[in-house]
Amino acid sequence: MNRNNICSSFYYYKSIANPVVRLLCFPYAGGSALAYRKWTQSLADEIEVCPVQLPGRENRMAEEPIRALPKLIALLADELEPAINSSIPYAFFGHSMGALISYELAKEINKRSWKMPIQLFLSGKRPPQLSKKERPTYNLPEKEFIDELRKMNGTPEEVLGNKEIMDLFLPIIRADFEIVDTYQFDLSSPLSCPITAFGGLNDPLTQKEDLDSWKELTTSEFNIHLFPGDHFYLFEHEKKLLKAIQEEFFYAFHRPS
């Protein structure tokens, strides 16, 4: 880990001199900080990419994965406080489960009266005030659970078919799915920070009209970007996504006051 790491939960993190903004990135269910390892290479030099590692994976493999969102949010708020309350502006990016983490963490930050993010980038996730479309899957028998993972098209078939690998990762994936499946939305005041929603045009889990509803959860500006692809469009169209994020940052710093 980088010796200049401002937060212990950052991984694949490279500090930069005099960043204009920090982008804290939260993974999808079953994912890790690895998903954002190369983003530094494609974003502007003044954007410091901070992939957040959740308990139970890679360098935090010795820790038990967390199964309830309130517990995870409290832990992340404590761990990320040095970055949140530093003098450098920050934003959140989260895909799927990571979008839910980003939103709930912003609510927790507001509750603690800390400095708010300048932007929430929320990807591939229906906003939580909408009723859930999917049945709970975290407690399905193993074969059915793996079939559900296969439908999402985010895990290579060679991984799904490897029993040793799946025995290692299934407890983590199940814990993440439990976070999402058991989450209870608490209606509160809308956030004051801008929200930008991202999604895939062919995502069977999140339609454009779903993403549009994120605007109900902010009193600030809202924008939406759609890309070709399914739920995991961000792998195939990473450059287009990062270009959109960079443009949103440019607008944020040049927004009329």
Side-chain angles (χ1 to χ4, degrees):
M1 188 176 293
N2 191 303
R3 63 184 178 86
N4 296 319
N5 204 340
I6 189 174
C7 290
S8 61
S9 51
F10 291 168
Y11 201 51
Y12 302 108
Y13 161 79
K14 295 181 180 178
S15 62
I16 62 175
N18 304 314
V20 171
V21 63
R22 287 192 174 107
L23 180 61
L24 281 63
C25 302
F26 300 93
Y28 48 87
S32 72
L34 178 66
Y36 307 111
R37 180 171 58 93
K38 296 181 179 179
W39 279 26
T40 298
Q41 301 170 16
S42 300
L43 286 169
D45 292 341
E46 62 267 23
I47 300 172
E48 187 171 82
V49 179
C50 305
V52 176
Q53 191 75 289
L54 305 183
R57 53 214 87 194
E58 293 186 293
N59 62 311
R60 304 186 71 170
M61 187 71 78
E63 301 174 52
E64 282 291 317
I66 294 176
R67 299 177 176 277
L69 192 57
K71 183 178 179 181
L72 178 60
I73 293 301
L75 173 72
L76 289 174
D78 291 341
E79 289 184 347
L80 298 173
E81 189 273 336
I84 290 167
N85 285 327
S86 78
S87 60
I88 299 168
Y90 71 97
F92 291 160
F93 176 91
H95 180 69
S96 200
M97 178 187 75
L100 196 58
I101 292 172
S102 298
Y103 169 70
E104 284 294 330
L105 184 55
K107 285 173 59 179
E108 178 67 18
I109 290 166
N110 186 53
K111 190 185 302 181
R112 298 188 185 198
S113 299
W114 291 355
K115 185 180 71 174
M116 291 294 286
I118 64 166
Q119 190 92 18
L120 295 185
F121 297 113
L122 306 178
S123 169
K125 184 65 181 173
R126 302 174 79 241
Q129 77 273 23
L130 301 183
S131 59
K132 295 180 179 179
K133 287 182 177 179
E134 303 84 20
R135 59 178 179 138
T137 55
Y138 74 94
N139 54 358
L140 287 174
E142 183 171 314
K143 183 180 182 304
E144 292 179 46
F145 187 70
I146 291 175
D147 285 343
E148 289 297 320
L149 295 179
R150 184 174 283 111
K151 290 177 187 176
M152 297 180 73
N153 201 30
T155 308
E157 188 60 39
E158 56 267 29
V159 173
L160 292 173
N162 188 311
K163 180 168 173 45
E164 289 185 4
I165 293 177
M166 292 307 293
D167 284 348
L168 179 64
F169 286 107
L170 271 180
I172 300 167
I173 302 172
R174 282 190 186 275
D176 287 353
F177 273 58
E178 186 170 351
I179 283 176
V180 176
D181 288 345
T182 61
Y183 167 73
Q184 296 293 319
F185 175 61
D186 175 25
L187 183 62
S188 59
S189 299
L191 296 171
S192 59
C193 50
I195 292 177
T196 298
F198 298 115
L201 285 165
N202 303 115
D203 185 350
L205 302 177
T206 310
Q207 309 298 319
K208 179 184 181 297
E209 53 269 27
D210 298 331
L211 293 172
D212 276 333
S213 295
W214 278 110
K215 64 187 174 187
E216 300 169 7
L217 300 181
T218 179
T219 58
S220 186
E221 297 185 39
F222 173 79
N223 200 4
I224 185 170
H225 296 268
L226 297 174
F227 303 90
D230 57 16
H231 188 63
F232 286 98
Y233 74 91
L234 70 170
F235 294 146
E236 188 176 353
H237 299 285
E238 182 176 276
K239 288 185 178 179
K240 292 179 181 178
L241 171 63
L242 296 182
K243 182 175 182 289
I245 290 174
Q246 195 157 291
E247 289 172 351
E248 290 283 341
F249 273 138
F250 180 84
Y251 178 73
F253 284 105
H254 295 82
R255 186 180 288 124
S257 56

